[in-house]
Amino acid sequence: MKMIGLIGGLTPESTAVYYRVLNQLVRDRLGPGTSSKIMLSSFNLADVMPLYLNAKPKFIDAIADAGQRLKKAGADGLMILSNTAHMGAQNLSDATGMPVIHILDALAATINSARAKQPLLLGTDFVMEGDYYRGHLDRLLDGKTLVPNRDDCKIANDILFSELANGVFSDASRQVYLGIIDKAEAAGADSVILGCTEHCLLLNQSHHRLPIFDSTHIHANAAVDFQLGTNK
């Protein structure tokens, strides 16, 4: 089994989910008593949030620095445990020369396999409105993503940073998200992308009739494929 290097702390809530899910997926595939070979470099969120908000090139460099440390420690491949922080994925690959399990490659392959054509993309404002993430994803999809209106993007982004990033998961916020999904369904959305790695702690397939693509679990599955040499 290959050693996977995780770049986490972006936020610690989803990092903990990745650790649990990676181990469960390996156990499911290889049987009881097995677990994932993992190294973790985890940021202090308070250190990197100012960089994300005000100095994105330094944020990207910080991700590459974490990757270099994991490479030196013996990792065989790397993954960034955040949709938004994938802005640094190409730089991470260039700086380390290592395989990077990219969340958008895994996500697009799953969506295309399901033949979804107009998924609603939920995430941070950068994910929903910035060219990097949505533009990159749309180039990989057979269809095209939809996003909430500007006001709903702000509401979703505020919930992410004020609540989910701090371990707060309320039914009131879940209902806000479900209202946004209902609007998108009326506008033609045929599925939903949980494009923030904390979303899986708030929403799952039981909450809505539209197919839901959970980026965290999809990404973790791709990582285990890499670890076990079962990449397609």
Side-chain angles (χ1 to χ4, degrees), residues 1-2 4 22-23 26-27 34-38 224 227:
M1 185 191 305
K2 294 177 181 175
I4 193 77
L22 286 166
N23 281 294
V26 168
R27 188 179 305 118
T34 60
S35 57
S36 178
K37 293 177 67 175
I38 290 171
V224 173
Q227 287 190 288

Side-chain angles (χ1 to χ4, degrees), residues 99-118:
V100 176
I101 297 91
H102 201 296
I103 201 166
L104 291 182
D105 292 339
L107 187 57
T110 301
I111 294 170
N112 287 338
S113 179
R115 299 184 179 181
K117 300 298 183 184
Q118 292 196 105

Side-chain angles (χ1 to χ4, degrees), residues 126-174:
F126 178 84
V127 163
M128 293 184 287
E129 298 181 323
D131 178 65
Y132 161 69
Y133 189 99
R134 189 181 178 197
H136 188 158
L137 183 57
D138 280 347
R139 286 190 291 273
L140 297 173
L141 290 178
D142 294 335
K144 188 174 181 63
T145 55
L146 304 178
V147 294
N149 63 45
R150 183 67 190 93
D151 289 342
D152 284 345
C153 282
K154 183 179 186 307
I155 290 168
N157 186 75
D158 288 347
I159 289 172
L160 278 170
F161 284 109
S162 66
E163 297 183 21
L164 307 192
N166 294 296
V168 177
F169 307 97
S170 70
D171 186 62
S173 290
R174 182 179 298 111

Side-chain angles (χ1 to χ4, degrees), residues 53-149:
L53 293 172
N54 304 306
K56 284 187 172 60
K58 291 183 179 180
F59 181 70
I60 289 170
D61 287 343
I63 292 167
D65 289 344
Q68 293 282 21
R69 291 192 293 273
L70 289 165
K71 178 180 181 178
K72 290 178 182 177
D76 298 306
L78 302 170
M79 63 190 302
I80 303 169
L81 310 187
S82 160
N83 281 273
T84 301
H86 268 71
M87 69 175 81
Q90 186 60 56
N91 186 61
L92 176 64
S93 177
D94 294 342
T96 62
M98 295 185 68
V100 176
I101 297 91
H102 201 296
I103 201 166
L104 291 182
D105 292 339
L107 187 57
T110 301
I111 294 170
N112 287 338
S113 179
R115 299 184 179 181
K117 300 298 183 184
Q118 292 196 105
L120 171 69
L121 175 59
L122 299 173
T124 62
D125 55 1
F126 178 84
V127 163
M128 293 184 287
E129 298 181 323
D131 178 65
Y132 161 69
Y133 189 99
R134 189 181 178 197
H136 188 158
L137 183 57
D138 280 347
R139 286 190 291 273
L140 297 173
L141 290 178
D142 294 335
K144 188 174 181 63
T145 55
L146 304 178
V147 294
N149 63 45

